[in-house]
Amino acid sequence: MKHANLLKLIMAGALATTGIAAHALDQGGIIKIADNASGAMSDTGRKIDDSALTAKVKAELLAKKDVPSTKVHVTTRHGVVHLTGSVPQPAQKTLVVDTVKGVDGVVDVKDDIKVMAQ
């Protein structure tokens, strides 16, 4: 057990001195925190966060009874949520945009939803 902990400590030290990535050591081993010493997130990490935010936004829209959420398309890039699709009433468009703005993690909302009577 002492050998495994020593190996983890050596690996953490080696990774920290490379300047390529910041890492932390927990009970289970080494965890990557950021891709560089400045703390910038990797493209992969950003894509995962954007995907999670998109899923969170879609879940919030599905929970709204007055929104035809299947007609609203959601994409996210760098925390900016882009809404496309259509709704039958202006009030529904407002409800969609307001709901999305209220989701934790949303940086901004780009609204390209069209109002089209059915």
Side-chain angles (χ1 to χ4, degrees):
M1 190 61 144
K2 289 181 185 180
H3 185 262
N5 287 336
L6 179 60
L7 182 59
K8 288 177 188 177
L9 186 58
I10 291 169
M11 288 180 65
L15 290 169
T17 59
T18 63
I20 295 172
H23 294 78
L25 188 64
D26 72 352
Q27 293 174 343
I30 299 168
I31 297 176
K32 185 174 176 181
I33 296 174
D35 278 340
N36 59 36
S38 69
M41 188 178 298
S42 72
D43 287 340
T44 303
R46 180 79 259 165
K47 286 178 186 174
I48 291 169
D49 283 352
D50 285 342
S51 294
L53 187 54
T54 296
K56 194 179 344 180
V57 166
K58 287 180 179 181
E60 288 289 325
L61 292 175
L62 284 170
K64 295 288 182 183
K65 295 189 188 296
D66 296 332
V67 174
S69 54
T70 58
K71 302 282 187 184
V72 176
H73 308 285
V74 180
T75 57
T76 308
R77 181 161 169 85
H78 301 294
V80 177
V81 177
H82 184 199
L83 302 171
T84 57
S86 62
V87 293
Q89 300 172 358
Q92 290 173 323
K93 179 178 176 173
T94 301
L95 181 59
V96 167
V97 173
D98 290 347
T99 299
V100 173
K101 285 180 180 178
V103 174
D104 188 37
V106 171
V107 174
D108 196 11
V109 177
K110 183 177 179 193
D111 173 21
D112 285 326
I113 298 173
K114 296 181 178 9
V115 177
M116 302 175 111
Q118 293 180 341

